[in-house]
Amino acid sequence: MSYGSYLALDTLLSAQQPVSRHHDEMLFIIQHQTSELWLKLMLHELRAVRVQLAADNLRAAMKGVARIKHIQRSLTEQWSILATLTPSEYVQFRGDLGAASGFQSYQYRAVEFMLGNKNAGMLKVFDANPPARAMLAVILKQTSIYDEFLALLARRGFAVPAELLARDVTKAHVFNPAVVEAVRVVYEQPDDHWDLYEACEELVDLEDNFQLWRFRHVATVKRIIGMKAGTGGSSGVGFLQRALDLTFFPELYAVRTEIGN
């Protein structure tokens, strides 16, 4: 076995096939391909985190979250490379992309599903890609990592509402004030619940990183195409800006208002 054969470099390095003759399209392709590789690793780690939480292995789960946070930093930093693509450079090959759009990234959608932003309506976007649709359909019906974390809190004796533990997991988690009160106990008594206290902060880090990635995405797209519609019929910057309002773990943020009151 050689380095090249182990990494399948012949396959990997032949996967960059520009559809135009413009020099800067290679940057665009590699940016998105490497992002998909990092998303693949993130999904690999999220699946393991979910299993560890369900098995009450909180420390192992948080080790996985720590790795995911580093993956997120790499994904976020990559936007600075794409931002070197100027509007006049991008317009040279943008028309050749046809209906291709980052909105069609099924791995990105899978990450959002695993973090709790479920939306069954998104499956139809992937009707033309049955394997991707099937993968998303499976994840849609599974608990998210936040569902599993709340279930772990309940097993530890915290007052997580029973209806929340038995909810329809194909839908996005909805803010529940009772969860804020449960988490408040963790934050007000950190020495008694240190691993849970640390886990809450790790999850907040994960969401903060995700929001930073979204912001850099918006900023980069605005820098390159301004307020134009995105490829594939998406609304471009407007759509991306609305995503900044989404949250995965609302109670972990809301509890901050309650501490000390």
Side-chain angles (χ1 to χ4, degrees):
M1 182 180 292
S2 68
Y3 176 80
S5 63
Y6 176 67
L7 296 177
L9 288 183
D10 287 346
T11 299
L12 182 66
L13 298 180
S14 63
Q16 296 74 46
Q17 300 292 330
V19 295
S20 75
R21 295 183 178 182
H22 195 273
H23 170 82
D24 296 295
E25 190 185 352
M26 185 64 75
L27 160 63
F28 193 79
I29 292 173
I30 291 176
Q31 164 85 23
H32 289 84
Q33 287 183 339
T34 53
S35 293
E36 290 295 331
L37 286 173
W38 285 126
L39 287 171
K40 182 174 183 176
L41 182 56
M42 191 184 299
L43 284 170
H44 179 69
E45 296 299 334
L46 283 170
R47 289 186 177 100
V49 166
R50 181 178 169 275
V51 169
Q52 296 291 359
L53 288 172
D56 289 327
N57 296 327
L58 187 58
R59 292 177 67 183
M62 291 306 106
K63 172 62 169 63
V65 170
R67 179 174 291 172
I68 291 166
K69 286 161 54 179
H70 285 289
I71 297 169
Q72 288 177 306
R73 291 189 186 103
S74 290
L75 278 166
T76 299
E77 183 56 33
Q78 283 191 190
W79 290 119
S80 64
I81 305 173
L82 190 61
T84 65
L85 183 67
T86 68
S88 54
E89 290 167 343
Y90 182 45
V91 76
Q92 298 299 315
F93 64 88
R94 188 184 189 219
D96 295 303
L97 302 181
S101 168
F103 183 75
Q104 300 157 352
S105 170
Y106 62 87
Q107 289 199 123
Y108 171 80
R109 194 60 53 190
V111 167
E112 287 222 335
F113 279 13
M114 293 199 74
L115 291 175
N117 184 25
K118 302 286 188 71
N119 182 351
M122 291 303 303
L123 295 183
K124 64 184 178 183
V125 174
F126 305 96
D127 284 346
N129 187 344
R133 193 186 194 286
M135 182 190 79
L136 288 171
V138 169
I139 297 174
L140 183 72
K141 296 175 183 177
Q142 294 175 336
T143 51
S144 69
I145 65 166
Y146 195 45
D147 289 324
E148 292 296 346
F149 179 67
L150 295 180
L152 185 149
L153 279 178
R155 293 192 295 271
R156 292 280 191 95
F158 290 85
V160 178
E163 65 271 17
L164 188 57
L165 300 174
R167 75 181 190 86
D168 180 358
V169 298
T170 65
K171 298 180 180 178
H173 171 80
V174 177
F175 175 81
N176 190 306
V179 174
V180 178
E181 290 305 308
V183 175
R184 180 175 181 167
V185 176
V186 173
Y187 274 88
E188 291 184 339
Q189 301 171 24
D191 291 339
D192 296 331
H193 312 289
W194 187 262
D195 59 342
L196 293 172
Y197 176 68
E198 187 176 38
C200 288
E201 287 298 288
E202 289 285 329
L203 291 176
V204 169
D205 283 347
L206 192 156
E207 176 147 344
D208 278 356
N209 287 346
F210 209 99
Q211 289 291 69
L212 180 59
W213 180 89
R214 284 171 171 160
F215 175 79
R216 290 294 299 275
H217 188 184
V218 171
T220 302
V221 170
K222 187 183 295 185
R223 175 172 178 154
I224 296 174
I225 68 169
M227 301 304 291
K228 293 187 185 75
T231 54
S234 68
S235 59
V237 169
F239 170 79
L240 298 174
Q241 286 179 325
R242 288 193 296 275
L244 291 172
D245 294 328
L246 299 175
T247 183
F248 301 117
F249 319 128
E251 294 87 359
L252 300 186
Y253 286 87
V255 72
R256 284 149 168 75
T257 305
E258 305 303 321
I259 302 301
N261 289 341

